[in-house]
Amino acid sequence: MTERQTVEPLLQVRDLKTYFYSPSSVVRAVDGVTFDLREGETLGLVGESGCGKSVTALTLMRLIPNPPGRIVGGEVIFKGRDLLKLSDSEMRKVRGRDIGMIFQEPMSSLNPVLTIGRQLTEALELHMNMSKRQAMDRAGELLDMVGIPDARTRLKDYPHQMSGGQRQRVMIAIALSCNPKLLIADEATTALDVTIQAQILELMQDLTSRLGTALLIITHNLGVVARYADRVNVMYAGKIREMGSSDDIYGSPKHPYTVGLLNSVPRLDEPAKTRLAPIRGEIPNMADLPAGCAFRDRCDWAIERCGAEDPTLTEAGREHWSACWESAKVSRRPAAQKAKV
Amino acid sequence: MTTATNASTVTPVKADVTSGQPLLAVEGLKVHFPVNRGFILQRTVGHVKAVDGIGFSLKHGETLGLVGESGSGKTTAGRAILQLTKPTAGKVTFEGQELTTMKPDAIRKMRRRMGIVFQDPYGSLNPRMTAGNIVGEPLIVHRLFTSKAEYREKVAELLQVVGLSPAMANRYPHEFSGGQRQRLGVARALAARPSLIVLDEPVSALDVSIQAQVINLLQDLQEQFNLAYIFIAHDLSVVRHISDRVAVMYLGKIVEIATRDEIYKNPLHPYTKALLSAVPAPDPVLERKRERIVLKGDIPSPLNPPSGCVFHTRCPIAIDDCKGDVPPLREVGPEHWVACIRV
């Protein structure tokens, strides 16, 4: 990839590979993922279940359970250092302090037997060398910042005393407590109702832009990222298939999978009760991927070459890459050849 | 029609002009779950009003979308209509018969005419039954075949109708993908040739590319078998796609009900407006221009719902009067009913 920026990106992921091993098979969950994340930027990582987006996030944090998983290759350069080469104790200092993470299930990512206050102060005492009292004061400020009413008294509460939306707010407060440079939100709003989802997204956007934190939003919902992301990466079967500005990805997608995703969701801003155009077939078995492009069996544009060679990301426009041999022909409008269900 | 204090039970039942009678009429339906405290000396300390006086009607071949957030009572409403949960009060008239007063035996016979598809395609299929037996079970229960050969033929036909191969009849649920399992669930619901199917979040557990396949299938089947659907979902774009009319629920009550185009073009209840504005559109250009109404706070506990209009605690246009009486559903336009005094 050509580097247009003179400023070094905050995070450079290069040819990242994370595989999972079982006695009978190897699942290449992340198979050669390369992307940049600039300082203060919001990047969306979109794809369906099993495409490797969460494994990508866990690999960045080096949280892949080993066995069965192993980071097989690649580089994760964060602020000039390769995170994959750090010792375990050095890595522990990065987690929580430099990179914060929010998970999908707020109930299971908070410890049910510790108070909210204790869980907030843990990182502050550990990473920021604060005293107990300083940390408690700061914890109160943080809860206030994420919009929990009566923050100081709520510090004594346990996670079960809060609603789903509030727990996710607590998670955001913990993740942002040490002023990280990067916040990873892995399906952070998926378990929430739409009105609460809107609250949490607005909050994340507002806080990260105020604090200058870069934000990596991982989601399966194309709608969620459209409003917030500057750029979007679309993943399918372990690889990034298309990357570009969100205007390009949504306005003029150049990969058949992105086109398929956009066409298969009903939209409130389009006329109703026309038939949906789904992507035909099923998500392939990751332990047994066919040779060539993994999407070709479901693709309306597939040619013979797709069966032999897996396309790599090539430039399809300014700051816009697509991994497709036919990307010049792909577009959203001429609603493809009618996909059969 | 009831008194003003109980006004929320007023029901916008519309007689079907063509056939004279709706397929399903729900009036003042309530489901209250008792909350007990104490171990030996149990006493009821309150009620969770999961569904609190809802009413609507449904014509043959029509789809009613039932939307709301978690805890709004939409699933309980669906179950109470099918008598899977005993309603506390209210009437459910289906194909001209009143279900709430029926004996269990009679209800079981009526179930032939009503199907249900559940949200979780993993949890709703018995892992120890083959696909064929799952789909064929309703045929056995209702004795809808005369010979083994006819049974097998019917099962094969059902699998084919939902886009599965009849050769898959001997497989077990774990051998199917999520989308295929949901097709099995649909086939099972279709088996006894119902006229009404309650679809409880049928696509929300599926990936987007598979969702579209199942939605198209549901629309095809509706046309083919003249089915009426109650489509329960929290995804408003999917609901708009499939529904003829839409009812919005909040804390056990219907706050707005109207035809599909009307409710999406001209939402009147502040909750409906907020819900619609919270749906993210996959279009960054549009999203940047769009004004979003972000509701404050969470949905209140149904154990102790707010007085008056249940939405007043989160409502951006609430006034003091909203805390007083429960606002009744009133007709503000053709087939458009709203429960809000500020409209």
Side-chain angles (χ1 to χ4, degrees), chain A residues 73-255:
Chain A
E75 290 177 334
V76 178
I77 313 228
F78 179 76
K79 295 205 295 186
R81 286 194 302 174
D82 186 355
L83 297 186
L84 301 184
K85 294 209 175 73
L86 297 184
S87 69
D88 284 352
S89 67
E90 283 173 315
M91 189 62 211
R92 269 198 292 277
K93 286 188 188 132
V94 173
R95 282 186 212 119
R97 193 182 63 185
D98 294 325
I99 306 179
M101 190 158 177
I102 310 168
F103 299 91
Q104 172 167 2
E105 243 316 312
M107 192 60 209
S108 49
S109 21
L110 288 170
N111 188 332
V113 296
L114 297 179
T115 61
I116 298 297
R118 179 72 199 102
Q119 299 189 56
L120 266 164
T121 52
E122 189 180 0
L124 292 170
E125 287 169 30
L126 193 72
H127 291 309
M128 310 293 272
N129 290 321
M130 283 189 184
S131 70
K132 274 218 159 72
R133 172 159 312 155
Q134 280 174 322
M136 257 318 169
D137 280 347
R138 178 83 184 120
E141 285 169 32
L142 285 164
L143 270 199
D144 201 41
M145 176 181 85
V146 294
I148 289 187
D150 205 7
R152 261 157 223 288
T153 45
R154 295 309 295 267
L155 285 175
K156 294 189 199 79
D157 281 1
Y158 289 89
H160 74 267
Q161 289 166 290
M162 301 191 140
S163 68
Q166 284 179 329
R167 281 185 215 130
Q168 207 55 298
R169 285 171 191 268
V170 172
M171 284 300 295
I172 294 175
I174 294 174
L176 291 176
S177 60
C178 304
N179 297 322
K181 297 301 275 179
L182 169 63
L183 179 64
I184 301 175
D186 185 2
E187 300 275 12
T189 60
T190 306
L192 305 171
D193 281 313
V194 270
T195 58
I196 310 295
Q197 184 178 322
Q199 287 177 359
I200 298 293
L201 285 166
E202 293 287 334
L203 175 72
M204 277 197 315
Q205 176 75 356
D206 175 52
L207 289 178
T208 50
S209 66
R210 226 165 61 199
L211 304 170
T213 312
L215 181 59
L216 178 61
I217 302 183
I218 296 173
T219 177
H220 69 278
N221 186 337
L222 285 161
V224 164
V225 275
R227 188 182 178 95
Y228 302 100
D230 303 308
R231 291 187 303 129
V232 175
N233 296 345
V234 181
M235 268 189 98
Y236 184 77
K239 292 193 169 109
I240 293 179
R241 307 288 163 167
E242 182 166 7
M243 54 202 278
S245 69
S246 50
D247 285 10
D248 283 339
I249 295 284
Y250 292 96
S252 56
K254 285 290 171 209
H255 194 283

